[in-house]
Amino acid sequence: MSTETNGLKTPLYDIHVESGGKIVPFAGYLLPVQYGTGVIAEHMAVRTKCGLFDVSHMGEIILKGPDALKNLNHLLTNDYTVMACGQARYSPMCNEEGGVVDDLIVYKVRDDCYFIVVNAANKDKDYAWMKAHVSGEAQLSDISASVAQLALQGPKAMDILRKVAREEDIPEKYYTCKFHCTIDGMDCIISKTGYTGEDGVEIYLASEDAPRLWRLLMEHGRDEGLIPCGLGARDTLRLEASMPLYGHEMDDAITPKEAGLGMFVKMDKDDFIGKKAIEAKGPLTRKRVGLKVTGRGIVREHQAVYAGGEPIGVTTSGTHCPYLGYPVAMALLDIAYKEPGTAVEVDVRGRRVAAEIVKLPFYKRS
């Protein structure tokens, strides 16, 4: 438990305190970094059974109107032209220089309406950016304050969900969702997405209903090994699954292609913000790579990487991966060193630690 008092509280704050969550400030909110079980146990629960996360700090924005699609395609690097209702699509959103303003997920509600989920730390910045660049017949609204989000993640997630939701309300395919679902009388959006590299769903619902849904899922998941999980495990899981994090693998000065997100950048689109700058940069000179630490030590972010004594880049995220059993890191390196098997060294507080370039992702569920 914590005495932290400075920050916004999600609708589940009291439950986290009651459950022994260690509360820390994050993205302007007070959230559990871990529970009594600890980060490693929470990480392993998601890899082998199931974990429940409060991600109500994320931002939700509605874009609607006859020109909604045209604006999406202008704002984002991915192409939203051919998309079914209930489909979700990931995209970076760039500035004029080709750097990343944020990365986000867009759900198509209907032809003239889209539900956009953005990173917590960036939601005000993102909303202001969108507002400044939307034109024609399109309206934006920030609905973050009224929406809670719970992430049920792990191999047992769908078994638990089936105990509380109707079969027809459960999305079958990854990156699809079902709108207007009902769980115990609560209206929800159930989305087959997540940030852990495991099977599972993210459930959006009215803020006031979140505590009831949390308790319901915990009760029905007990026999399946469900435990509450905090920000610590969320970070180790996403890193083990090689999922980029804004402010680490990408930011306003790193392009999506450098961040290894080229597949979400559709250069054959008519235009999008940042397209000209990305074209002007020409072939990549640096790229996100994976590092497996072969020496002794844990590599963290912002540590210099060397090859043959020469600096070749910097780490962006790093930790010991509980499921894999060894330390890894992601780094933004000179393109000449991107090949798996390349030996490098990382400066860890003045000591050089050996590592080698490996193919991403570090972990992929079978």
Side-chain angles (χ1 to χ4, degrees), residues 144-167:
S144 308
S146 63
V147 178
Q149 185 190 345
L150 277 61
L152 183 68
Q153 300 281 300
K156 296 280 189 184
M158 304 315 283
D159 295 340
I160 296 167
L161 186 62
R162 283 191 174 88
K163 295 181 182 182
V164 300
R166 299 176 304 181
E167 196 60 43

Side-chain angles (χ1 to χ4, degrees), residues 15 17 25 30 32 35 48 80 92 97 115 118 148-150 174 207 234 244 251 291 296 298 347 349:
I15 287 180
V17 172
L30 295 174
Y35 294 84
T48 60
Y80 289 85
E97 291 74 47
F115 176 65
V118 302
Q149 185 190 345
L150 277 61
Y174 190 47
S207 295
R234 186 167 152 85
D251 61 28
L291 299 180
R296 286 176 66 84
I298 308 265
D347 189 319
R349 293 190 296 279

Side-chain angles (χ1 to χ4, degrees), residues 31 124 126 137 150 166 187 195 224 235 294 308 325 330:
L31 290 161
D124 294 339
D126 289 354
E137 289 187 71
L150 277 61
R166 299 176 304 181
D187 186 44
Y195 195 48
E224 310 290 347
D235 191 51
T294 53
M330 289 190 280

Side-chain angles (χ1 to χ4, degrees), residues 176-223:
T176 67
C177 78
K178 295 283 182 87
F179 294 104
H180 305 300
C181 304
T182 305
I183 296 178
D184 197 29
M186 296 174 278
D187 186 44
C188 307
I189 300 169
I190 302 178
S191 167
K192 203 162 167 53
T193 47
Y195 195 48
T196 62
E198 285 309 327
D199 198 10
V201 290
E202 294 174 312
I203 304 171
Y204 302 88
L205 74 168
S207 295
E208 59 270 22
D209 288 336
R212 185 149 65 98
L213 180 61
W214 179 279
R215 293 188 198 281
L216 189 73
L217 290 169
M218 288 305 300
E219 182 192 324
H220 283 87
R222 197 168 291 121
D223 293 345

Side-chain angles (χ1 to χ4, degrees), residues 269-337:
K269 276 204 302 184
D270 280 352
D271 196 20
F272 58 82
I273 299 169
K275 182 182 176 184
K276 289 180 181 65
I278 292 170
E279 280 174 338
K281 282 182 189 284
L284 285 181
T285 57
R286 58 179 187 166
K287 194 172 182 201
R288 172 170 66 112
V289 301
L291 299 180
K292 179 180 178 181
V293 178
T294 53
R296 286 176 66 84
I298 308 265
V299 168
R300 304 290 184 193
E301 71 264 31
H302 311 312
Q303 294 180 324
V305 183
Y306 293 83
E310 293 298 311
I312 57 165
V314 68
T315 57
T316 54
S317 295
T319 192
H320 182 274
C321 289
Y323 187 79
L324 295 176
Y326 50 80
V328 301
M330 289 190 280
L332 197 57
L333 298 190
D334 185 305
I335 198 83
Y337 299 90

Side-chain angles (χ1 to χ4, degrees), residues 1 19 31 122 170 175:
M1 227 168 352
S19 307
L31 290 161
N122 291 340
I170 299 174
Y175 265 68

